[in-house]
């Protein structure tokens, strides 16, 4: 009895004479994760809209404050009662910080709301590079946009303040440092939003926590006895962040360098909490 064998040359039969080629391996590297997060950030319509809103609010509020400024203190609008031209130009920084912070929350917390975070973590099993890349990408974007907005607001308001005692130019002492400080502050607020969104894994919860940290803590501290409140107040996130871009330091406030260190410490603490939860719990 003879045994039939398959002819490799016969059409339709498997060709076992050639070794199979191994599939190329793709390593998960830092630059690739950064590129992926960059693509995801700019693919969101909310990124373009919210960054545009942040710049608009910053410039519009600065123009409004400059056009309504009055040396007698009767002016109206954000920053109209400021003591220097930088304060007038940055009168809308509170609105801008809210817009940029909320966008940071959306970038991280939004993935948990849609369930896309499962696909992201499946592609990057080590997890933490995802958080660092989100924070780095959005921090750089927010820094560039906020710095441009701060300088645009200052330059646009120069015409209205010309001849007033508070008028300054870009070449005046401390002006460039303050405007750059505003960009750094808003960038850190954006990174804080990313961290809080990843920490609570909810857009609504992250926004609520952001508002509480940046705004409500100062209000609650005002309810404390003055001796205790004055000691705590300079180290709160909102107050420490405000010291970064202030042209002149008021009494009981931190210097720009100290304010930057304290506020960056708050942001680092939020990132550490987000990293701990990302490593310890499932998505």
């Amino acid at each position: 009895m003879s045994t039939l064998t398959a002819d490799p040359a016969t059409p339709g039969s498997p060709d076992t004479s050639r070794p199979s080629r191994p599939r190329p391996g793709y390593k998960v590297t830092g630059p690739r994760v950064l590129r992926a997060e960059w693509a995801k950030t700019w693919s969101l319509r909310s990124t373009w809209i919210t960054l545009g809103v942040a710049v608009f609010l910053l410039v519009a509020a600065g123009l409004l404050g400059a056009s309504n400024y009055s040396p007698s203190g009767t002016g109206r609008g954000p920053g109209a009662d400021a003591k220097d031209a930088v304060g007038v130009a940055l009168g809308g920084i509170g609105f801008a910080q809210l817009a940029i912070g909320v966008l940071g929350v959306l970038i991280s917390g939004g993935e948990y709301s849609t369930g896309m975070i499962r696909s992201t973590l499946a592609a990057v099993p080590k997890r933490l590079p995802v958080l660092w890349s989100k924070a780095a990408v959005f921090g750089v974007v927010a820094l560039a946009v906020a710095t441009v907005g701060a300088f645009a607001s200052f330059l646009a308001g120069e015409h209205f303040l010309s001849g007033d005692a508070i008028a300054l130019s870009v070449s005046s002492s401390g002006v460039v440092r303050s405007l750059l400080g505003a960009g750094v502050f808003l960038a850190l607020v954006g990174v804080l939003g990313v961290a809080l969104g990843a920490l609570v894994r909810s857009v609504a919860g992250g926004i609520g926590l952001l508002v509480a940290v940046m705004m409500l803590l100062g209000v609650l501290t005002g309810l404390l006895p003055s001796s205790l409140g004055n000691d705590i107040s300079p180290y709160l996130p909102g107050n420490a962040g405000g010291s970064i871009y202030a042209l002149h330091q008021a009494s009981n406030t931190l210097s720009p360098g100290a304010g930057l260190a304290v506020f960056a410490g708050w942001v680092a603490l939020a990132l550490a909490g987000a990293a701990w939860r990302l490593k310890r719990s499932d998505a």
Side-chain angles (χ1 to χ4, degrees):
M1 183 176 180
S2 61
T3 304
L4 297 176
T5 58
D7 184 3
T10 303
S13 62
D15 185 2
T16 58
S17 61
R18 297 179 181 178
S20 59
R21 294 182 180 179
R23 293 184 178 181
Y26 295 96
K27 295 180 61 177
V28 177
T29 62
R32 284 175 175 169
V33 179
L34 283 171
R35 284 197 298 269
E37 292 302 328
W38 177 269
K40 283 193 291 185
T41 298
W42 290 112
S43 65
L44 297 173
R45 187 181 303 174
S46 58
T47 300
W48 299 89
I49 295 175
T50 310
L51 289 177
V53 167
V55 173
F56 172 78
L57 291 174
L58 189 57
V59 176
L63 277 173
L64 184 62
S67 61
N68 289 328
Y69 175 77
S70 173
S72 61
T74 58
R76 294 179 298 174
D81 58 346
K83 305 301 181 184
D84 53 71
V86 172
V88 174
L90 300 180
I93 200 167
F95 303 120
Q97 79 171 15
L98 186 59
I100 290 178
V102 166
L103 181 56
V105 173
L106 287 171
I107 285 175
S108 58
E111 285 204 44
Y112 286 94
S113 300
T114 61
M116 185 179 177
I117 190 64
R118 297 185 182 90
S119 300
T120 299
L121 297 182
V124 188
K126 290 186 177 180
R127 296 191 173 195
L128 289 185
V130 173
L131 178 62
W132 308 144
S133 297
K134 286 182 184 295
V137 167
F138 187 59
V140 170
V141 170
L143 176 62
V145 171
T147 302
V148 169
F151 275 90
S153 179
F154 180 83
L155 294 173
E158 275 189 308
H159 168 73
F160 297 100
L161 298 176
S162 179
D164 288 322
I166 66 169
L168 296 168
S169 66
V170 175
S171 60
S172 299
S173 176
V175 170
V176 172
R177 190 269 306 163
S178 295
L179 297 178
L180 290 176
V184 171
F185 166 70
L186 290 175
L188 287 173
V189 171
V191 175
L192 178 63
V194 172
L196 295 179
L199 178 63
V200 300
R201 300 184 174 186
S202 165
V203 172
I207 293 173
L209 189 55
L210 176 72
V211 172
V213 168
M214 295 302 300
M215 300 177 182
L216 296 185
L217 279 180
V219 176
L220 295 177
T221 305
L223 302 177
L224 298 174
S226 58
S227 57
L228 180 59
N230 291 337
D231 292 336
I232 296 175
S233 180
Y235 299 94
L236 297 178
N239 295 337
S243 299
I244 300 174
Y245 58 84
L247 184 61
H248 302 291
Q249 269 54 59
S251 59
N252 197 37
T253 60
L254 300 175
S255 66
L260 175 61
V262 171
F263 189 55
W266 282 103
V267 175
L269 182 63
L271 281 172
W276 179 84
R277 187 174 186 192
L278 186 60
K279 287 291 288 185
R280 295 283 181 162
S281 58
D282 294 332

